Amino acid sequence: MKAAGRALVVLAALNALVTAASCPPPVKPGDPLRGLTAEELDRFHRGQEVFERVFTPETGLGPLFNADACGECHETPVVGGVGDEIELHATAFHDGFCDPLADSGGPVFQQKVTPALQAALGIDQEPVPVGAHRANRSTPAVFGFGLLDAVPDHDILLRADPDDKNHDGISGRPNRNFDGRLGRFGRKALVPTLREFNTGAFTIEIGITSPALPTEETIGGRPVPPSADPAPDPEITEEDVNLADDFVRFLAPPLPLPLDLEGERGKIIFGTIGCVACHAPSLATGDNKVRALRYKQVYAYTDLLLHDMGPERADMCLGLAEPAEFRTEPLMGLRLREKFLHDGAAATIEEAIELHAGEAAGATSRFRKLSARERAAVLKFLGSL
Amino acid sequence: MSIHRGILIHALATAVACALTSTAANAQPPGSAGGQRETITGTISRIDSHSGTFDLLTAVGHSVRVRRVRYPAGLKVMAQRAEAGMSALVPGAVCRVECEVATSGATATGVEVLYAAPARTR
C-alpha cells in the first residue's frame, strides 16, 4: 500500500514535469505570435532585420527624416516597442475643411535633414506653415498591431455611437481615410491598414521611397533639390517592405502580468467607473490568411474609434477627426511605456487618467472619487497590462 | 492527306481568330485616344474654376499626396445615384474620379461623390 502510494507520487511528479516541459515559455515583448508557420517565422526574423536596418543618405535616408531606422524609435524595451522621440504633426482648418497641408509637406513635419539638404537649403527641419495647428506625437509600440489589423471593419462600426443614442455620454465615431475607407491606425485613426501604416512610415519617418510611394515628400511643398537626394528611387524593394510589414504584423501583444486580488479588484473597478466604454477590453479578429491572426481575441482595451478628449488636449484635425478627438489608445503593453497619452504629456498612468476629459470626464470624475485603495487597485491592474 | 487538310484548316482558323482578337484589342472607346484610364479615389481639397482643376488628396499611411485633376465643362458628377452637378465638389467631399491620364496630367471623365463634405462649424 505504501509502495503504491509512493509510485503514485512519482507518477504525479513525472506527469507535472512532462506537462511543464511541453508548455511553451510565456510570450515576452518582442516575441512573434504563437502559431506562426515556419515560413511566417522566417519572415518575422528577416523582417526584423529590415526593421532594424540603419539607412544613410547613400542608401536613401532623407533628405527629410525623423529617424534613420524603424528601430531607432521603436526600441524600448525591445525592438517594436516605444521610443522617447516626440514628432511634430500639423494641419489647418480652411473654411471648415481639415487641410492636412499635403502641399506644404504635412501632416508630418520632419525634424531632421541630411547634410546635403542642409547645404542646399540651409534648413535644419521642415518648416511648418504659419497658422497651422501643431501637435506632438509620441512613438507607439507596435506589438499586437497585426491583430488590430485583422479586426473586421463591421465589428468596429458596431461600437460606434456618433450621436450618443444610448445617452451614456460616450459617442465613439469612426474616422475615414481620404478615400473613404474606415481608419484605425494612428492617433487620429486615419490609416485603414497596417500595411499602409508601415509603408507610409518608411517615407515620412525615414525618407525612404518605396514602390508604393516612389517619390519623396516635398520640402514645405517644394520638390527636393536633386543634389540632396543621391539615392535612386525607389530606395527600398517591395520585398523588404513586405518583410518589415510581416515583422510588425507578427509581433505578439505583450502578455499581461498575473493579477493578484488587488489587481483583479482594480480590473472590476476599471469597468464599473466606465473606462471600458471606450477602452473596450477585447476585440475579435475575423477570417485571415494567417492562421495565428484568424478568429482570435485581442485584449487591446480599445474600440479603435474617435472620442472627444476635451479642449485641453485638443491639437489638430485629421480626416474627420476634430482637434479634440483621438482614437482610443490601446492599453496592451501599457506597463512597457515610459510616457503616456498621444503627445507623451503624462509621466505616469495616474497623470494620464487625470488628463482625460471630454467624453471621459465622467469616468475621470468617478476615478477621483474612489478611495485611495481603490485607485491603487485600478493602477495596479493597468500596470499589469 | 486528310491530316494535312486538318492542319491547314486549324492554322487558318487560328489566324482568323488572332486577327479578330487583335482588332478588338486595338479598338478604343470614344474619348480615350492617347490616354490611360485611371480611377483615383480621394478627398477634394481645392477647386479652381478659373483653371478648371481640382486637387484630390490620397494617402499611403500618413504620407499624404495631392493629385491635380483637370475637369471639362459639363463633367458628369453623380451623388447617391443621381446627377449632382459641380456644386457637389467641395473641399472635404470624398470622390471616385474616373480619369484619362496623359503626360500633361489627369483629366476627369466622370465623378462619383462617395461621401459629402462633413458639416463643420469652423
Side-chain angles (χ1 to χ4, degrees):
Chain A
M1 190 66 188
K2 209 172 183 180
R6 202 173 294 153
L8 265 177
V9 169
V10 170
L11 263 177
L14 268 174
N15 187 38
L17 269 174
V18 169
T19 307
S22 62
C23 279
V27 173
K28 299 189 303 294
D31 280 357
L33 291 162
R34 285 281 156 73
L36 293 176
T37 64
E39 187 191 345
E40 289 161 349
L41 208 52
D42 176 60
R43 293 189 65 80
F44 173 83
H45 292 301
R46 287 162 60 206
Q48 182 167 352
E49 288 172 20
V50 180
F51 195 86
E52 293 186 272
R53 182 183 300 166
V54 176
F55 291 90
T56 65
E58 290 71 32
T59 58
L61 176 69
L64 289 168
F65 63 101
N66 283 323
D68 60 12
C70 305
E72 183 189 338
C73 295
H74 299 280
E75 60 179 345
T76 304
V78 292
V79 179
V82 295
D84 56 4
E85 293 81 1
I86 297 289
E87 284 192 2
L88 178 59
H89 296 201
T91 61
F93 272 115
H94 292 145
D95 299 325
F97 167 62
C98 177
D99 182 352
L101 301 173
D103 51 8
S104 305
V108 179
F109 289 86
Q110 291 78 12
Q111 294 169 288
K112 294 179 185 171
V113 303
T114 56
L117 186 63
Q118 212 280 338
L121 298 182
I123 57 172
D124 295 318
Q125 63 179 73
E126 187 172 34
V128 179
V130 176
H133 298 153
R134 293 164 176 251
N136 291 330
R137 290 288 178 268
S138 61
T139 308
V142 293
F143 305 127
F145 273 27
L147 289 161
L148 292 182
D149 188 64
V151 175
D153 282 3
H154 63 81
D155 283 14
I156 299 170
L157 293 171
L158 271 177
R159 295 170 189 268
D161 183 17
D163 302 317
D164 192 19
K165 284 185 178 156
N166 63 359
H167 306 293
D168 65 351
I170 309 293
S171 57
R173 65 189 197 110
N175 200 356
R176 284 201 306 260
N177 192 256
F178 299 112
D179 60 9
R181 287 175 298 149
L182 175 71
R184 67 178 71 190
F185 290 104
R187 263 52 186 269
K188 296 279 186 176
L190 179 77
V191 183
T193 66
L194 184 58
R195 168 75 193 194
E196 291 163 86
F197 188 69
N198 293 334
T199 306
F202 271 108
T203 307
I204 56 164
E205 308 294 5
I206 318 179
I208 297 295
T209 55
S210 61
L213 283 166
T215 55
E216 297 283 357
E217 296 268 302
T218 64
I219 299 163
R222 290 184 298 169
V224 174
S227 62
D229 185 29
D233 297 318
E235 294 157 340
I236 193 169
T237 64
E238 187 76 12
E239 175 60 359
D240 278 354
V241 174
N242 290 340
L243 286 168
D245 182 62
D246 279 347
F247 168 67
V248 176
R249 187 173 306 278
F250 297 155
L251 272 170
L255 202 63
L257 301 175
L259 289 175
D260 59 10
L261 272 179
E262 185 189 22
E264 288 288 358
R265 189 156 172 252
K267 184 177 181 178
I268 293 166
I269 297 168
F270 184 76
T272 54
I273 63 175
C275 304
V276 294
C278 304
H279 290 286
S282 75
L283 296 167
T285 69
D287 196 7
N288 199 285
K289 65 178 180 182
V290 177
R291 193 185 56 191
L293 296 170
R294 190 185 309 149
Y295 301 125
K296 303 289 182 191
Q297 286 292 317
V298 49
Y299 298 95
Y301 287 89
T302 177
D303 57 6
L304 298 174
L305 294 169
L306 297 171
H307 295 275
D308 188 326
M309 284 280 283
E312 292 295 314
R313 300 257 62 77
D315 46 32
M316 65 174 218
C317 60
L318 192 60
L320 298 183
E322 300 290 344
E325 286 183 310
F326 295 89
R327 181 206 59 179
T328 306
E329 184 71 2
L331 301 183
M332 54 184 174
L334 193 65
R335 71 178 187 276
L336 306 172
R337 297 185 203 174
E338 296 171 339
K339 286 190 282 255
F340 302 90
L341 296 180
H342 52 272
D343 52 2
T348 65
I349 295 175
E350 186 163 19
E351 198 181 332
I353 296 171
E354 290 288 348
L355 291 174
H356 279 58
E359 289 176 45
T364 307
S365 166
R366 288 186 283 276
F367 175 78
R368 289 189 190 120
K369 287 176 187 161
L370 295 174
S371 68
R373 276 184 66 184
E374 289 169 325
R375 279 203 298 274
V378 171
L379 295 174
K380 183 145 200 183
F381 159 63
L382 290 170
S384 75
L385 295 175
Chain B
M1 186 67 187
S2 64
I3 294 174
H4 285 164
R5 194 177 298 152
I7 291 171
L8 190 66
I9 290 170
H10 185 258
L12 274 172
T14 307
V16 169
C18 284
L20 285 174
T21 310
S22 169
T23 308
N26 288 332
Q28 289 180 323
S32 67
Q36 284 192 320
R37 290 192 170 275
E38 185 183 354
T39 303
I40 310 170
T41 306
T43 294
I44 289 189
S45 62
R46 187 196 65 96
I47 293 230
D48 184 348
S49 56
H50 296 293
S51 62
T53 61
F54 57 77
D55 287 350
L56 273 178
L57 297 173
T58 64
V60 177
H62 285 112
S63 182
V64 186
R65 303 296 168 100
V66 183
R67 288 286 299 267
R68 183 151 295 174
V69 180
R70 278 192 301 273
Y71 64 88
L75 175 69
K76 191 174 181 182
V77 179
M78 303 290 289
Q80 296 179 325
R81 295 180 185 180
E83 282 225 31
M86 287 298 293
S87 60
L89 301 189
V90 295
V94 178
C95 299
R96 183 186 295 130
V97 183
E98 300 294 337
C99 297
E100 280 181 11
V101 183
T103 46
S104 57
T107 303
T109 57
V111 177
E112 181 186 0
V113 178
L114 303 177
Y115 295 99
R120 275 177 156 136
T121 52
R122 290 163 203 278

